[in-house]
Amino acid sequence: MAERESQIVLGLDPDPGRLWPAAVRAADGTTPAARAAAAVLAHCRAVIDAVGDAVVAVKPQVACFERLGAPGWAALSATVEHAHAAGLFVLADAKRGDIDVTATAYAQGLVGATPGLDGEAIPGLGADAMTVAPYMGADTLRSFAAVARDHDAGLFVLVRTSNPGAADVEDAPLAGGGAVWERVAALVAALGAEHLGRASGLADVGAVLGATQPEHLARARELLPRAVFLLPGVGAQGGRVEDLAPAFAPGRAAGLVTASRAIVRAHEEPGAPGDPAAAARAEAQRLRAAAWALA
């Protein structure tokens, strides 16, 4: 963040029907899935090349690649390699959540490695962090964290998400007071407190807090003083960078502002440059400046 003066995360949610035209023209493959995956990879590489110097990380939505089958997973792996080559962190947006054994397997596949038959480790995707769901309890989060910590990776736990339906469960009141999301925040705070950065004082377990509901951020900071906040929902979902100041109370490194469609589809906005790369670069730079000034 300090080197790039940026807290922006590029979301990559590739839709084969909404890719940059040059990526579609360059696609090649022997099956529909292979052609779509080739176009998705070309698209993601082009977006990273266009905005890489304005962002600190990419956040590929794993489902958008998985739906293309094996070619899609290969495209995801190549996208991760391209992002790393550009000096960017990779946050695998997978939102996994399961019992301890399965949680370990998910984590090994995304941020860790699996012990092989001959004792040699089988590397996973190689992401630097992953998003996880907390609703099966603290033991599942601890299983994710154990693998992540063994591989110098991090977690972002869903706490108060950006979708309208989040209120159905996450805002539900508890008998003992507070809301469900506040209980989740307490679990995240306790787990993250076990492993703080010596220089930053920040935890290796962060929290996903939707930028569409900024009224929760001040309370979330009270509950999570050491967590890095991953803040999705800026742009297409209606969130505004200008409303996110409480996230940065511990310092500039305490918040990551995610933008996906707002950057990738910036060329579709009235008055924007017609060239997708130029429009994406301009929007990423605008978001970067706004967040840096705010923090």
Side-chain angles (χ1 to χ4, degrees):
M1 289 180 179
E3 290 175 0
R4 294 172 182 251
E5 295 189 352
S6 176
Q7 302 115 318
I8 304 301
V9 175
L10 167 66
L12 293 172
D13 310 337
D15 176 353
R18 297 286 296 274
L19 303 176
W20 286 2
V24 176
R25 291 194 296 268
D28 190 17
T30 58
T31 67
R35 289 194 297 274
V40 162
L41 175 56
H43 167 87
C44 291
R45 283 173 169 165
V47 178
I48 290 169
D49 291 345
V51 307
D53 60 350
V55 304
V56 292
V58 299
K59 183 175 70 67
Q61 171 47 256
V62 174
C64 290
F65 296 84
E66 286 179 329
R67 62 185 172 182
L68 300 177
W73 188 263
L76 174 59
S77 180
T79 297
V80 170
E81 291 179 2
H82 195 74
H84 280 154
L88 302 173
F89 287 102
V90 176
L91 314 181
D93 195 359
K95 299 183 177 70
R96 302 295 197 233
D98 212 322
I99 62 171
D100 52 0
V101 173
T102 315
T104 296
Y106 277 135
Q108 289 171 336
L110 291 168
V111 299
T114 303
L117 296 177
D118 56 2
E120 294 186 9
I122 302 169
L125 182 66
D128 302 290
M130 64 181 292
T131 57
V132 298
Y135 290 101
M136 292 186 73
D139 59 336
T140 66
L141 295 180
R142 189 165 297 282
S143 295
F144 283 116
V147 176
R149 287 169 175 168
D150 281 346
H151 293 83
D152 198 24
L155 302 180
F156 287 95
V157 182
L158 303 179
V159 174
R160 182 46 173 90
T161 54
S162 60
N163 58 305
D168 297 339
V169 174
E170 295 167 7
D171 291 351
L174 298 174
V180 169
W181 77 263
E182 292 175 305
R183 173 59 181 151
V184 173
L187 295 177
V188 172
L191 183 59
E194 298 173 359
H195 201 258
L196 301 177
R198 288 190 297 271
S200 68
L202 295 172
D204 63 344
V205 181
V208 179
L209 289 148
T212 54
Q213 301 291 330
E215 64 271 18
H216 295 300
L217 290 180
R219 174 59 176 157
R221 261 297 160 230
E222 292 177 6
L223 297 170
L224 292 156
R226 298 295 187 181
V228 178
F229 286 3
L230 184 64
L231 302 157
V234 168
Q237 294 186 55
R240 299 183 339 121
V241 171
E242 293 78 8
D243 297 331
L244 304 179
F248 300 101
R252 281 183 161 132
L256 289 165
V257 180
T258 296
S260 304
R261 286 169 286 174
I263 292 175
V264 176
R265 299 181 187 172
H267 62 288
E268 298 176 2
E269 295 298 315
D275 174 48
R281 186 178 304 112
E283 179 61 11
Q285 293 285 14
R286 185 191 71 80
L287 292 170
R288 170 195 189 186
W292 197 254
L294 179 69

